[in-house]
Every structure is written in structure tokens, then in C-alpha cells.
Amino acid sequence: MDKKRIGRRIKAFRKLKGYTQIQFAQEMEISTSKLGNIERGTQQPSDQLLDEIAEKLSISKQELVLEEHSN
């Protein structure tokens, strides 16, 4: 997983849903600095946190991380 790409996608989807960084961090029950680090790609979110972020943003985890499955 590319931390920077995932962080950019989290930020983009967060903004599309109308959350500020502070509001979203409060909704996710994490610190604003942790969310900022994740969005900048300096911190790797855990799989559990990615699942929770995807659920909160009403998108699939695959859409969030752009996992491609080859046939």
C-alpha cells in the first residue's frame, strides 16, 4: 500500500463528504495530528482504521486504497 496515495484519497473523500479535518478526526475518535499524518502519508493507518474510515465515508475499503485484483 502506498501511504501517500492512500492519504490523498482519504483527504479527497473526506472533503467530498463535507468534513473538516478536525470534525473527521473527532468522528473517528483519533487525534487531528494522527489524521493529518495519515493524510500526508507520513503514518500508515492500520487495517482496522482503514475499515472504519471507509465505513464512515460510505465507500468500500478497496475504493479507498485502490486495490486492484487481477483475473
Side-chain angles (χ1 to χ4, degrees), residues 8-50:
R8 285 192 304 265
R9 291 185 63 77
I10 290 171
K11 183 177 182 178
F13 281 113
R14 170 181 61 77
K15 287 185 170 188
L16 279 174
K17 299 292 181 174
Y19 287 107
T20 66
Q21 195 176 57
I22 294 170
Q23 290 170 327
F24 195 64
Q26 288 173 341
E27 286 284 321
M28 296 306 303
E29 297 181 356
I30 60 174
S31 68
T32 307
S33 62
K34 180 173 183 169
L35 180 58
N37 289 338
I38 290 169
E39 289 185 352
R40 282 189 301 280
T42 59
Q43 184 174 348
Q44 179 76 42
S46 67
D47 279 343
Q48 180 181 349
L49 183 57
L50 277 176

